[in-house]
Amino acid sequence: MARSLVIKVTAGADAPERCNQAFTVAASALASGVPVSLWLTGESSWFALPGRAKEFALAEAAPLEDLLDAVLVAGRVTLCTQCAARRGITVDDVIDGVRIAGAPTFVEEVLGEGVRALIY
C-alpha cells in the first residue's frame, strides 16, 4: 500500500516556527518520495499570494519561498475556500499551481487509503 501525507498548516507569521515546520515536513516528505498535499488555512492562507512566502523569515530555517516552490513542483497546494473568502483572495490572486477547495475535498483526501494527516 502506497502512503501519502496531507499536511494542513493553520499558522503563518503569527506562529513562525509552527508554520515553517509544516512546510519543512512537506518538502522533506516529497524529497523522500512521499506524495504530499499541503493545505493552506488560517493565517497561512496568505502564502498562496505571490511574494508573501518571500517576506517570511525565520532564523536557522530554510526559506519558506523555497519550501513552497518545492511543494508546488512535486506535490499539491490547496488554499481553503472559506479562508480565502474571509481574506478576499480569489482564484485570480493566487500563485500558479495553487488550487482553492473546501472541506469536502480535504475530508476526501484525508480519508484515502494509506493517508496520514498532520495539522500544524
Side-chain angles (χ1 to χ4, degrees):
M1 165 176 40
R3 292 205 166 181
S4 63
L5 194 56
V6 175
I7 299 172
K8 181 186 241 187
V9 56
T10 63
D14 59 326
E17 287 183 301
R18 188 162 34 108
C19 174
N20 194 270
Q21 287 169 0
F23 282 83
T24 299
V25 168
S28 297
L30 285 165
S32 298
V34 177
V36 171
S37 175
L38 178 67
W39 281 74
L40 305 176
T41 68
E43 286 303 298
S44 72
S45 299
W46 297 113
F47 298 124
L49 298 175
R52 291 293 183 103
K54 187 174 187 164
E55 296 171 3
F56 181 93
L58 180 63
E60 306 300 324
L64 197 69
E65 181 181 35
D66 294 348
L67 297 171
L68 177 56
D69 286 347
V71 179
L72 284 165
V73 166
R76 177 185 296 155
V77 179
T78 305
L79 171 59
C80 163
T81 302
Q82 291 179 347
C83 300
R86 280 190 284 274
R87 289 160 180 82
I89 301 171
T90 70
V91 68
D92 295 326
D93 300 321
V94 299
I95 299 166
D96 286 342
V98 173
R99 70 177 178 162
I100 297 178
T105 304
F106 179 78
V107 170
E108 181 181 345
E109 283 190 20
V110 299
L111 292 179
E113 188 171 341
V115 175
R116 300 277 177 147
L118 301 174
I119 308 230
Y120 287 87

